[in-house]
Amino acid sequence: MSQQDHAHAADEPERNTMLPPPRRWLARLGPDERRWLTIAFVWCLILFTGMYVWLAIGEQQNPVESYRIDPVAFSTEVDAFIAEHKIEERDGAEIVAPPPGSDVYLQARQFQWRPVLQLERGETYRLLVSSTDVQHGLSLQPVNLNFQVLPGYLSVIEITPDETGEFPIVCNEFCGLGHHVMTGLVVVD
Ligand SMILES: [Cu+2]
């Protein structure tokens, strides 16, 4: 070895690349890190608690009850409901006028909400909704009735229309190629 090589080796600390790097990640948290982690954790707790607070006082949650149901059985019930209360058919859509206060069915399927429901203002109905194929999303605006519709599950919600008019239903869960044309209608007289 020359004189120069010796000098160079002494300058650089010897490094064995097979050893792990210094364990800096086990160092104590700095004050800033600790402060922000505390703020983030407290904020998480506030939001988590907020879910239950809004459930109680916010009137933002739809009081939907859920039950298991066989999709084929549900389909049969919807067909029977439509056959019993159908008043007319317009552009292939079945328009159904169930008696006030009764159970009304709404079936979600690719790519349709059936039937069109004709309800009376001020009367209370139990709306029974399910899907007979894939997951859909029921969105009735502007009354903000909005929940997931799943095959095998029956969602039941009491509704009392307080305004007359036509209320479109859209599917807000992507369900296939015809998703964008999947609309339905509730008519309130
Ligand atoms: Cu859809």
Side-chain angles (χ1 to χ4, degrees):
M1 247 184 217
S2 73
Q3 195 76 25
Q4 244 182 347
D5 285 336
H6 265 292
H8 188 72
D11 285 343
E12 289 236 323
E14 202 162 309
R15 204 174 278 155
N16 183 341
T17 51
M18 297 302 284
L19 292 174
R23 303 170 69 174
R24 284 184 50 222
W25 62 85
L26 289 180
R28 283 175 67 84
L29 296 178
D32 277 359
E33 260 176 319
R34 207 169 321 154
R35 189 175 309 127
W36 284 109
L37 280 175
T38 307
I39 290 171
F41 182 69
V42 169
W43 185 236
C44 285
L45 288 180
I46 290 170
L47 292 180
F48 184 78
T49 316
M51 288 194 301
Y52 294 96
V53 174
W54 285 117
L55 178 65
I57 65 165
E59 292 180 358
Q60 294 177 344
Q61 307 277 341
N62 297 310
V64 179
E65 295 169 24
S66 287
Y67 304 93
R68 298 299 292 258
I69 193 165
D70 174 42
V72 177
F74 180 74
S75 195
T76 310
E77 285 180 43
V78 172
D79 288 342
F81 167 73
I82 292 174
E84 201 178 335
H85 303 296
K86 188 161 97 170
I87 51 166
E88 66 171 301
E89 204 162 321
R90 212 184 296 157
D91 301 327
E94 295 136 318
I95 302 169
V96 165
S102 64
D103 286 359
V104 298
Y105 287 83
L106 185 63
Q107 177 186 18
R109 66 179 186 192
Q110 290 168 317
F111 301 97
Q112 188 187 25
W113 294 98
R114 75 189 278 258
V116 170
L117 295 168
Q118 190 173 307
L119 307 178
E120 281 176 35
R121 192 176 70 145
E123 300 287 347
T124 300
Y125 300 84
R126 273 173 88 225
L127 182 62
L128 285 69
V129 192
S130 188
S131 162
T132 46
D133 42 38
V134 300
Q135 178 171 0
H136 298 280
L138 183 146
S139 174
L140 178 72
Q141 302 299 337
V143 285
N144 203 23
L145 188 63
N146 199 331
F147 56 87
Q148 299 286 310
V149 181
L150 297 153
Y153 289 90
L154 179 70
S155 301
V156 182
I157 185 166
E158 275 198 357
I159 52 167
T160 309
D162 55 4
E163 269 178 68
T164 56
E166 295 196 343
F167 301 89
I169 301 171
V170 298
C171 177
N172 62 5
E173 189 68 50
F174 183 75
C175 56
L177 286 179
H179 165 66
H180 62 290
V181 297
M182 183 167 167
T183 56
L185 194 64
V186 175
V187 181
V188 182
D189 284 340

